[in-house]
């Protein structure tokens, strides 16, 4: 076998480096490759081609073959070098699924890959592996973003349509799938991968000076994709092609007739090679990967001496490397920003406009995996939740880290009224206009609605009319369970607080310590989070038996002051009877009871953490820092002190991923975190915005929404969210309505569900003019931050032209870059095209963004700055209770079944790199 090693490879050889051989998996047993004792079956091994090829003797490579192989590899190396100039970390990886042992072909593949600059991973299966086992490995490689090409070295019996078409066409560097073959047959060779074996046959013939025009070619013993590719390429070269199996009745006649014979499989013993006429050109495409036998080799037969038996195999291996480089180039091109090839959904607006639910149900959304592909997401970067929504993995940020961000737009509103100003509707209408009508990449980033308002008085938050997120039922109900995860994590921490107080009240120091650090199988060990607490206390010991009595007391007792507990239980339902309650009334709690309350789930600090984090590790750190109470010495007690940080992270590990949905016109939307600017910071997540900014590309737009009025939601967006994210906004879109301005101008009170008085349904210029003082103030607030403002006047059918013109005129006088009437509610994106143009123009102005206050200012000064600059207050006056809390915070800033004493959550943690859960069982 070694004697067959071609001279071309020996000339390419470099000084040898150690190579770990691919392990065929025949037989059980563990192996020491760092796989944690996993079995060898199906194991993958990434090898960098550092293989020394044996220098066998006796084979002289024909100069044509030698030259072609060298040119192919050199060309591949040069192309890859050019790609790596702009993408230094890029290195294509070829995966080869191999059933049985064929070390020669493995060495050939590895050496060629090394010369070109590629990596190879061999997946070694037993020779007798079933088709289903091979398909399982194929499907794993399909989903692995690190692998750019996949080839099969398996027996002919395994080459069924089911196996071959399991390959993703974009990774099928051997051109065996129906998709690639179909494109070849249609003449789209530039758009597909062509079989390297078939190409090698044609290349060898043409480069050897064989004129294929008019030649009679017999393709013998080839099957399926190889037969089709050979037949197609020969016919395009002007040859007359015949195909035959070895057992065909007319085989001898066809062999005597042929000028060129291409062997597609090993020759049966019963077929004499004397049937082939002297001088006939014979090329061998067959290599039995399991046995190492070549297709022919009978001495004394007078074939043409143009080609050695292994010429095709070697050149095919080189051409496969060339296909790999093409695959890598195509993959890189897909990662770069480009205008989306988005299939937008058509709208046919009706008049009068139907209800929101009727409009939503009348539109059929695209499958979310189709949408994901249209906007540049890879298959392994989404997790499907049914047909219409998916979570997006954070690995996308690493892949697109060098991508320039798009333009960043914040939608805020005038002071809200019971009538509703339509911030969500404007946000959706704007992105529908940008993407579906101006062909600009754009993303909407919305807050996930709370179940409280959905079942309370406000209703859903998916937008409205012909500018909404669909399906609106799924948007408003549960979505993917993020708020439920927040509820579970919040209440676990609440339970941990009261449980710790209970056990500290009822146990001695020693008993408490023995339960917190139990003896397990004769060994007592601190968990990682307990070691962190020891470090925080200044105790530099890791042996539980080495602590002194004083150290045991300090470690074991948090000494929480129940009157300082700020952490409440939560529920995502408006339940007024849980606003105040007494807990601990059961006799089992031994007299420990206290007044407590339930908050709405989205008011939990965990929601704020979710909205402001930028990674799993950052979320874990933020969760651990959450202050839940003070101890009896006035020092803060955190989730980290309670030992629950890892468990909280585990509960939140899926919630951290933004949720992908779509608008009525099929444009993308992220729904993630953040309602209620009056009791929280009221903005969607930093992660959703960051991912969207990468996906839209430098010329695209991300439109995100702040809750409540501009004086609350927008102020928190700038001072809190932008400070946490480091993102700089380009434009503020300030939403107003004529009827809300009338109410601010002194119009009669409005009650939800009660018919509007005539002041709101008839023209009333004085009321509008008086109410515009609110609009003017909100414009001025936005200008404090140095960001241009575009006013979006959300038009209702009762608004008159005079009222609309007045609002737009007064807005411009107040300093708005532009003011535009919008009709998206009744027309969809088409009704907000003017707004989209205004936003694009405003985004081209240079943003002079600045924060309102320095983060290092004392708490009182921050409050004073906001009160004076945003709300126009002369000064502030603190109540005694407020002063006590501020003093405490300032001091701290400078420095169901019952849970057991040591709950399991001490051992539960999440590896934020691999996302593997530790210590759960």
């Amino acid at each position: 076998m070694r004697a067959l090693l071609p001279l071309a490879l020996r000339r390419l050889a470099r000084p040898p480096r150690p190579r770990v051989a691919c392990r065929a998996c025949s037989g059980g047993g563990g192996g020491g490759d760092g796989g944690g004792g996993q079995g060898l079956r199906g194991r993958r091994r990434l090898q960098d081609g550092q293989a020394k090829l044996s220098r066998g003797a006796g084979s002289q490579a024909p100069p044509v073959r030698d030259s072609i192989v060298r040119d192919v590899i050199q060309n591949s190396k040069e192309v890859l070098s050019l790609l790596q100039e702009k993408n230094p970390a890029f290195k294509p990886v070829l995966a080869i699924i191999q059933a049985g042992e064929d070390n020669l072909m493995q060495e050939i593949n590895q050496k060629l890959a090394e010369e070109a600059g590629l990596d190879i991973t061999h997946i070694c299966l037993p020779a007798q592996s079933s088709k289903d086992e091979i398909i399982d490995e194929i499907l794993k490689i399909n989903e692995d973003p690190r692998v750019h090409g996949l080839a099969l070295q398996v027996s002919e019996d395994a080459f069924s349509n089911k196996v071959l078409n399991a390959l993703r066409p974009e990774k099928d560097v051997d051109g065996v799938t129906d998709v690639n073959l179909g494109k070849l047959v249609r003449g789209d060779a530039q758009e597909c991968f062509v079989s390297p074996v078939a190409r090698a046959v044609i290349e060898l013939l043409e480069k050897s000076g064989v004129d294929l025009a008019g030649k009679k070619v017999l393709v013998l013993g080839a099957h399926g994709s190889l037969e089709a590719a050979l037949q197609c390429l020969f016919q395009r070269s002007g040859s007359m092609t015949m195909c035959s199996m070895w057992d065909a009745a007319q085989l001898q006649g066809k062999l005597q007739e042929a000028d060129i014979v291409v062997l597609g499989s090993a020759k049966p013993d019963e077929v004499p090679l004397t049937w082939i006429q002297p001088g006939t050109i014979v090329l061998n495409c067959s290599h039995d990967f399991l046995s190492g036998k070549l297709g022919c080799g009978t001495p004394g037969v007078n074939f043409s001496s143009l080609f050695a038996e292994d010429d095709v195999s070697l050149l095919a291996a080189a051409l496969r490397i060339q296909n790999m480089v093409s695959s890598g180039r195509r993959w890189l091109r897909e990662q770069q920003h480009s205008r989306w090839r988005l299939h937008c959904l058509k709208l046919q607006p009706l008049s009068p406009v139907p209800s929101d639910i009727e409009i939503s149900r009348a539109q059929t959304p695209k499958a979310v995996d189709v949408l994901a592909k249209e906007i540049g997401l890879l298959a392994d970067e989404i997790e499907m939740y049914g047909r219409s929504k998916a979570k997006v993995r954070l690995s996308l940020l690493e892949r697109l880290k060098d991508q320039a961000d798009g333009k960043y737009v914040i939608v805020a509103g005038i002071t809200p009224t019971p009538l509703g100003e339509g911030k969500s509707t404007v946000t959706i209408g704007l992105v529908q206009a940008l993407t579906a009508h101006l062909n600009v990449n754009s993303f909407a980033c919305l807050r996930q609605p709370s179940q409280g308002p959905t079942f309370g008085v406000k209703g859903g938050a998916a937008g409205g009319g012909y500018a909404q997120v669909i399906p609106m039922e799924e948007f408003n109900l549960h979505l993917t369970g993020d708020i439920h995860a927040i509820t579970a994590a919040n209440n676990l921490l609440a339970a941990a607080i009261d449980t710790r107080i209970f056990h500290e009240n009822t146990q001695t120091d020693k008993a408490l310590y023995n339960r917190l650090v139990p003896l397990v199988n004769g060994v007592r060990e601190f968990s990682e989070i307990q070691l962190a607490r020891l470090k925080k206390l200044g105790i530099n010991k890791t042996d539980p038996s080495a602590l002194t009595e004083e150290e045991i007391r300090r470690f074991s007792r948090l000494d929480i002051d129940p009157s300082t507990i700020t952490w409440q239980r939560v529920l995502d339902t408006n339940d007024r009877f849980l606003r105040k309650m007494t807990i601990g009334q059961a006799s089992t709690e031994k007299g420990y009871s206290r007044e407590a309350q339930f908050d709405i789930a989205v008011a939990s600090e965990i929601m704020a953490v979710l909205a402001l984090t930028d990674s799993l590790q950052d979320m874990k750190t933020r969760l651990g820092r959450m202050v839940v109470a003070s101890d009896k010495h006035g020092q803060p007690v955190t989730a980290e002190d309670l030992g629950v940080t890892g468990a909280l992270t585990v509960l939140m590990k899926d919630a951290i991923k933004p949720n992908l949905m779509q608008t009525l016109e099929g444009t993308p939307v992220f729904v993630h975190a953040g309602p209620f600017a009056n009791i929280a910071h009221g903005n969607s997540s930093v992660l959703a915005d960051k991912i969207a900014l990468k996906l839209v590309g430098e010329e695209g737009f991300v439109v995100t929404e702040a809750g409540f009025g501009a004086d609350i939601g927008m102020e928190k967006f700038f001072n809190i969210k932008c400070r946490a994210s480091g993102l700089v906004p380009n434009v503020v879109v300030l939403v107003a309505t004529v009827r809300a301005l009338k109410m601010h101008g002194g119009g009669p009170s409005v009650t939800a569900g009660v018919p509007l008085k005539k002041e709101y349904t008839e023209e009333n210029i004085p009321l509008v003019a008086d109410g515009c003082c609110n609009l003017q103030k909100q414009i001025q607030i936005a200008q404090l931050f140095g960001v241009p403002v575009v006013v979006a006047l959300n038009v209702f059918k009762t608004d008159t032209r005079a009222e609309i013109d007045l609002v737009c005129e007064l807005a411009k006088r107040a300093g708005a870059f532009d003011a535009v009437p919008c009709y998206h509610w009744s027309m969809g994106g088409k009704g907000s095209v003017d707004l989209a143009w205004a936003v694009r123009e405003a985004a081209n102005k240079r943003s002079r963004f600045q924060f309102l206050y320095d983060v290092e200012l004392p708490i009182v000064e921050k409050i004073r700055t906001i009160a004076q600059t945003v709300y126009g207050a002369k000064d502030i006056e603190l109540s005694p209770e407020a002063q006590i809390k501020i003093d405490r915070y300032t001091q701290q800033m400078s420095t169901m079944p019952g849970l057991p004493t040591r709950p399991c959550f001490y051992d539960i943690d999440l590896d934020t790199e691999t996302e593997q859960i530790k210590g759960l069982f």
Side-chain angles (χ1 to χ4, degrees), residues 561 563-564 566 630 634 859-860 878-892:
D561 180 353
S563 68
T564 66
T566 56
S630 298
I859 296 174
V860 173
L878 298 175
S879 68
E881 182 183 3
Q883 187 65 61
I884 290 172
K885 288 185 176 180
I886 288 174
D887 290 343
R888 181 188 301 141
Y889 297 153
T890 301
Q891 179 189 11
Q892 291 176 351

Side-chain angles (χ1 to χ4, degrees), residues 363-384:
Q363 184 68 289
T364 302
K366 293 179 286 190
V368 72
D369 57 333
V370 172
L371 173 64
K373 187 174 182 179
E374 289 176 340
I375 62 175
L377 290 166
L378 304 180
D380 69 292
E381 290 171 341
I382 65 168
E383 297 171 1
M384 303 283 289

Side-chain angles (χ1 to χ4, degrees), residues 9 28 39 183 189 279 354 369 375 380 400 410 416 418 488 497 499 539 563 568 575 628 652 705 745 761 766 873 910:
L9 284 183
K183 289 180 179 179
D369 57 333
I375 62 175
D380 69 292
L400 298 181
I410 172 67
I497 295 167
T499 296
I539 302 173
S563 68
Q568 308 297 345
D575 190 342
V628 300
M652 293 294 295
E705 164 198 26
T761 58
L910 185 75

